[in-house]
């Protein structure tokens, strides 16, 4: 028969293991959300994923552009340096960051975590150059649990390579038309003319602000 103290000890071990699994899931989801906002040049939404100064302060470094520390500086880097002052996509613009191979380590106290992952980048930003950017690189990021929510504390991406492939302007954004012989029950949503293609809205609210994310179409 199991002794009560032994059972309590087992329960505590299982609770810690469950907490670690939940933390890894939350950090992985946070990193993927970061990637989707980055794809669409949604700088405000992306900046909100970073922790407050009192819990970090947060910092960001992408490529050889240097590191920016503090929430205000992180936002400034995203909006002005990386985004060059433009929020959202223009017509026919593609800049996909495919998040791969997340290896997440959660600290014993369950309040901080680290993640090494990979990003494969495909893009034509800005469109009209006739070239496809192909790049790959590694992340070494840190995360902190702010209250009950995970936030990014340090985001650091180092490129492995950059290259370009020609004739990307010939890429097709529309798929084949609906079948006339066997028509669909419901027609597809029309393409957003501002983007030049159909855009799937985010199914989740912003994880920090709770706001519904707008379509990332730049005013220009």
């Amino acid at each position: 028969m199991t002794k009560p103290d032994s059972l309590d000890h087992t329960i505590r071990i299982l609770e810690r293991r469950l907490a670690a699994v939940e933390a890894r899931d939350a950090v992985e989801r946070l990193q993927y959300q970061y990637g989707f906002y980055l794809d669409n040049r949604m700088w405000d939404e992306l900046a909100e994923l970073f922790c407050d100064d009192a819990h970090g302060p947060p910092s960001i470094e992408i490529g050889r552009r240097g590191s920016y520390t503090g929430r205000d500086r992180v936002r400034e880097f995203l909006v002005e340096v990386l985004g060059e002052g433009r929020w959202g996509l223009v017509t026919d613009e593609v800049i996909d960051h495919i998040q791969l191979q997340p290896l997440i380590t959660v600290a014993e106290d369950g309040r901080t975590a680290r993640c090494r992952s990979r990003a494969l980048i495909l893009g034509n930003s800005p469109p009209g150059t006739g070239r496809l950017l192909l790049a790959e690189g590694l992340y070494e990021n840190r995360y902190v649990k702010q209250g009950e929510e995970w936030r990014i504390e340090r985001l650091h991406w180092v490129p492995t390579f950059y290259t370009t492939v020609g004739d990307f302007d010939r890429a097709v954004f529309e798929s084949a038309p609906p079948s006339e012989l066997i028509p669909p029950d419901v027609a597809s949503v029309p393409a957003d003319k501002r983007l030049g293609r159909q855009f799937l809205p985010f199914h989740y609210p912003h994880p920090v602000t709770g706001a519904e994310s707008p379509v990332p179409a730049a005013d220009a």
Side-chain angles (χ1 to χ4, degrees):
M1 181 175 180
T2 304
K3 296 181 180 180
D5 58 343
S6 176
L7 179 60
D8 290 342
H9 178 68
T10 300
I11 291 174
R12 287 194 296 272
I13 291 176
L14 294 176
E15 286 176 340
R16 286 198 296 270
R17 289 179 179 176
L18 176 60
V21 170
E22 291 176 339
R24 285 194 293 270
D25 287 346
V27 168
E28 184 175 8
R29 180 180 176 86
L30 178 62
Q31 184 62 30
Y32 289 160
Q33 289 171 324
Y34 154 88
F36 279 115
Y37 289 140
L38 186 61
D39 289 346
N40 295 293
R41 300 174 61 95
M42 300 175 72
W43 313 121
D44 296 331
E45 290 78 4
L46 203 161
E48 291 291 346
L49 300 179
F50 285 78
C51 67
D52 294 339
D53 287 340
H55 288 80
S59 64
I60 189 169
E61 182 174 351
I62 294 180
R64 296 180 57 83
R65 298 178 177 89
S67 183
Y68 294 74
T69 302
R71 277 184 64 88
D72 291 343
R73 291 286 284 162
V74 168
R75 183 181 295 274
E76 184 178 19
F77 170 79
L78 291 170
V79 174
E80 301 297 339
V81 179
L82 203 61
E84 297 179 329
R86 172 165 63 87
W87 181 94
L89 303 172
V90 296
T91 303
D92 294 343
E93 183 173 20
V94 173
I95 180 167
D96 292 339
H97 297 75
I98 303 169
Q99 308 284 295
L100 301 167
Q101 299 174 289
L103 196 159
I104 300 167
T105 302
V106 180
E108 286 292 330
D109 63 3
R111 305 299 302 181
T112 62
R114 305 191 68 147
C115 176
R116 182 178 182 85
S117 62
R118 188 181 303 278
L120 179 63
I121 303 168
L122 304 170
N124 69 333
S125 182
T129 62
R131 310 291 292 181
L132 170 68
L133 168 68
L134 177 63
E136 187 275 336
L138 290 171
Y139 285 103
E140 272 289 353
N141 298 339
R142 297 196 306 267
Y143 310 83
V144 61
K145 199 171 185 182
Q146 184 174 307
E148 294 303 314
E149 301 294 332
W150 284 93
R151 306 278 186 92
I152 299 170
E153 180 187 17
R154 167 70 172 170
L155 188 129
H156 189 187
W157 183 79
V158 175
T160 305
F161 69 84
Y162 285 100
T163 189
T164 57
V165 181
D167 295 329
F168 185 66
D169 279 352
R170 298 177 61 186
V172 177
F173 288 89
E174 289 289 345
S175 65
S179 170
E180 294 183 0
L181 181 62
I182 307 175
D185 296 314
V186 179
S188 298
V189 175
D192 189 314
K193 294 182 179 179
R194 298 171 298 174
L195 297 177
R197 55 189 167 91
Q198 185 179 353
F199 180 83
L200 290 175
F202 296 90
H203 77 274
Y204 50 85
H206 191 280
V208 175
T209 66
E212 182 178 345
S213 297
V215 175
D219 292 338

